[in-house]
Amino acid sequence: MLDSPSSPAYPSPPMITASQKLLGIGQSAGAWFLFGLLSFNTGCEYVRPTMNAPLDQYDADYGYRSTNLPPSKTGSSDGLFIVSSFSGGGARASALSYGVLRELARTPIRWEGVDKRLVDELNIINALSGGSFTAAYYALYGDRIFHDFEYRFLRKDWESELRSRIFRSPSNWVRLWSPYFGRAHIFSELLDEALFDGHTFGDLVSLRRRPMVFIHASDMASLSRFEFNQRQFDLICSDLNQLHISVATASSAALPVLLSPISMTNYAGQCGYLPPAVMQEEKTTTWGRQRANELRSYLDAEKRPYIHLLDGGLSDNIGMRAVLENTAFVGDLESTFRSLGAKRIRKLVYLMVSAETTPDLNQYTMNEIPGLMPVSRALVDIPINRYSTDTAELMRQAVSQWRKELRQRPPGTDGIFAPDADIYFINASLTEVADPEEQARLMNIPTNLALTDNELDRLLLAATKLLRNDKEFQRLLRDLDADAAKNPPASQ
């Protein structure tokens, strides 16, 4: 059998379409002769890639999990704890999240007597689809992102490169004939070569630094969020350390129709994993019960031998639903951060970066039945946009409630949160752009993997303005300045 262990898996026989003909595919007798020759040589054999490796023995202290990463780059506590979400939205989302990261790095603060940057206190990033490329690159390379991410990713035409690999490579035509290999796997290989340099999640563990990045994909069977962290992989007795980062990001960006799903093998029951008590407890909320049922479903490898993953935006396009669902699953805010290994939080910051789209009404002015592509886009965009709006509002309400609960705690209460703890919710989303015309221009940038220089520059400028103009961001800086006045710089 042909085997490609470093490549992902999905069925998609190559079909010559009008767009391919425009690229010159199907018009070359020599190309078809080569394709036929390769097919003849491989006979009925298929590429059967294996994505994820089994876990030999479960160990609660092993792998890519937040408890294995130290607090911050310059401190020894979790006093200032920033949780961010980088939304989906193609290269537009990658650019907006990069712009916000860059602005955080440009923001000096003094915290606990130490001069640092706000980005140094970024602890967790929930990322998906376009936002996952930025998040994973920053987790892997740190400040290097501010020197080379623009030319390595943002100013490259990834769509043209991917099309070329799919349509103009006879060897890939043969691989795509396999029902176990698809377009998303070719994308994963491209990302591995051109962006992530062959690195795995094990390499992230060895760096021993935050932020912890939770890359999200969507489980086709349960219609739920699937996270690339060892806690999730413990359920299926799989070793995340051996998985290439490119596989996670390609899974998270596998938009239906354009890219194929990526599949994981379920090895549940083979590593000695025992579900924690929290998974068996009766939940008091619908969200908690739903999340518990979703997680328990992975424990039966006979019923669920494979997990097929699509774009993370289908289950949570702004990344903040993970915060709400995980809190409902664990029970409360205190328990959530205890499970993350956090200690003595004084300022908890939720930072939402969302590159939302807006409907283009000009597409529907003709009295004609919309074609396949407009309908396909609507099938994806309608639930994503409606879902995202609801999630953002629910998150805002939850933060308000959590802040109230912290203030109402009895004096002397000991826990993860300090007595003077506060919570901030910063919304750096395109919906918050003040100029209506500029907002429309930004939100109508196509959701693809190719930006013009002008589009990129506009998005980076918008990221700076969104962060600087946000009232909660301004409140955070005022409070940090007030705290700094009480804590002079540490002696050198």
Side-chain angles (χ1 to χ4, degrees):
M1 304 292 291
L2 290 175
D3 192 23
S4 178
S6 64
S7 311
Y10 174 81
S12 182
M15 298 180 65
I16 305 303
T17 64
S19 62
Q20 294 177 39
K21 290 179 181 178
L22 289 173
L23 291 170
I25 306 302
Q27 299 178 7
S28 167
W32 275 108
F33 174 77
L34 179 58
F35 174 73
L37 181 63
L38 288 169
S39 299
F40 176 79
N41 288 338
T42 57
C44 295
E45 295 179 348
Y46 287 128
V47 174
R48 291 179 180 266
T50 301
M51 296 313 307
N52 56 312
L55 183 66
D56 293 332
Q57 181 61 46
Y58 165 69
D59 181 349
D61 297 323
Y62 171 79
Y64 190 61
R65 59 184 89 225
S66 58
T67 50
N68 285 336
L69 304 180
S72 72
K73 296 178 182 177
T74 57
S76 58
S77 76
D78 290 309
L80 176 54
F81 199 103
I82 303 177
V83 178
S84 185
S85 66
F86 292 173
S87 80
R92 178 179 58 188
S94 306
L96 190 68
S97 55
Y98 169 74
V100 169
L101 264 183
R102 190 177 67 175
E103 194 59 31
L104 291 176
R106 292 172 172 174
T107 305
I109 63 169
R110 181 182 300 159
W111 181 246
E112 297 178 336
V114 178
D115 290 323
K116 55 179 73 173
R117 308 165 305 169
L118 197 53
V119 75
D120 295 328
E121 300 301 316
L122 181 55
N123 284 269
I124 291 174
I125 305 176
N126 290 292
L128 56 121
S129 196
S132 71
F133 306 126
T134 309
Y137 199 85
Y138 181 61
L140 183 62
Y141 293 119
D143 282 358
R144 173 176 154 182
I145 194 173
F146 305 121
H147 303 287
D148 65 7
F149 190 66
E150 282 195 45
Y151 74 79
R152 289 197 74 182
F153 186 83
L154 295 176
R155 296 190 187 273
K156 288 180 63 175
D157 186 346
W158 288 81
E159 290 211 343
S160 295
E161 177 65 24
L162 182 59
R163 280 197 301 267
S164 178
R165 291 196 176 206
I166 292 174
F167 297 137
R168 296 183 178 177
S169 170
S171 62
N172 280 336
W173 300 349
V174 174
R175 294 200 296 167
L176 287 167
W177 194 261
S178 168
Y180 309 101
F181 187 88
R183 298 175 298 280
H185 307 91
I186 295 176
F187 186 39
S188 171
E189 293 172 348
L190 173 59
L191 290 169
D192 199 47
E193 296 168 15
L195 192 64
F196 296 116
D197 307 313
H199 286 293
T200 66
F201 280 88
D203 295 323
L204 289 179
V205 176
S206 66
L207 291 173
R208 295 279 299 163
R209 71 182 181 209
R210 297 186 189 178
M212 170 85 185
V213 173
F214 294 91
I215 296 174
H216 301 172
S218 298
D219 184 330
M220 288 181 65
S222 64
L223 311 179
S224 64
R225 184 183 72 260
F226 183 94
E227 298 180 357
F228 285 86
N229 59 70
Q230 191 56 50
R231 283 179 182 267
Q232 177 92 55
F233 272 61
D234 285 340
L235 298 171
I236 60 174
C237 282
S238 184
D239 186 357
L240 182 63
N241 274 15
Q242 299 186 45
L243 191 76
H244 284 242
I245 296 169
S246 61
V247 174
T249 53
S251 300
S252 184
L255 192 67
V257 181
L258 297 178
L259 290 174
S260 56
I262 284 180
S263 302
M264 298 286 140
T265 301
N266 190 352
Y267 305 101
Q270 300 180 22
C271 65
Y273 172 75
L274 295 176
V278 68
M279 195 178 295
Q280 311 300 332
E281 295 170 355
E282 183 64 29
K283 305 301 176 183
T284 58
T285 66
T286 301
W287 278 19
R289 287 191 294 272
Q290 179 176 326
R291 189 58 181 160
N293 290 334
E294 292 165 356
L295 296 176
R296 282 195 294 263
S297 72
Y298 295 109
L299 299 176
D300 191 339
E302 290 188 8
K303 287 185 177 180
R304 302 205 58 192
Y306 301 100
I307 295 100
H308 305 290
L309 303 174
L310 281 172
D311 192 298
L314 300 174
S315 55
D316 176 16
N317 195 51
I318 58 175
M320 277 298 175
R321 197 172 184 88
V323 171
L324 298 168
E325 289 181 345
N326 288 339
T327 303
F329 170 70
V330 175
D332 55 32
L333 198 64
E334 181 85 15
S335 301
T336 299
F337 284 91
R338 183 179 293 110
S339 70
L340 295 172
K343 302 173 183 176
R344 214 60 177 165
I345 297 174
R346 290 179 56 207
K347 297 187 183 302
L348 173 60
V349 181
Y350 288 108
L351 169 59
M352 185 173 76
V353 185
S354 178
E356 297 180 53
T357 62
T358 188
D360 184 0
L361 301 182
N362 293 325
Q363 297 183 50
Y364 305 101
T365 58
M366 302 295 290
N367 185 25
E368 297 177 355
I369 297 175
L372 177 61
M373 287 308 297
V375 171
S376 299
R377 282 196 298 268
L379 286 173
V380 172
D381 289 346
I382 289 172
I384 282 181
N385 286 2
R386 305 290 287 187
Y387 206 32
S388 298
T389 301
D390 292 347
T391 299
E393 181 56 31
L394 288 169
M395 186 65 196
R396 195 182 302 277
Q397 293 174 11
V399 168
S400 178
Q401 179 62 30
W402 293 335
R403 187 183 294 126
K404 180 179 179 181
E405 291 173 0
L406 286 179
R407 290 171 178 170
Q408 292 179 345
R409 288 176 302 168
T413 301
D414 190 26
I416 299 298
F417 292 92
D420 61 345
D422 200 354
I423 308 180
Y424 306 77
F425 180 56
I426 300 169
N427 185 4
S429 302
L430 293 182
T431 53
E432 304 302 305
V433 173
D435 182 351
E437 292 185 2
E438 180 63 9
Q439 183 190 78
R441 280 191 291 267
L442 292 170
M443 295 182 75
N444 278 299
I445 294 173
T447 306
N448 55 28
L449 291 174
L451 294 171
T452 67
D453 287 340
N454 178 263
E455 289 170 341
L456 176 58
D457 292 339
R458 283 182 175 277
L459 286 162
L460 295 180
L461 179 60
T464 296
K465 290 182 177 179
L466 284 168
L467 197 59
R468 288 292 168 187
N469 293 339
D470 184 87
K471 292 182 179 180
E472 281 287 271
F473 181 76
Q474 295 169 0
R475 182 171 76 91
L476 173 65
L477 294 186
R478 287 196 303 269
D479 290 351
L480 290 175
D481 285 343
D483 186 88
K486 301 175 185 177
N487 296 278
S491 57
Q492 301 296 323

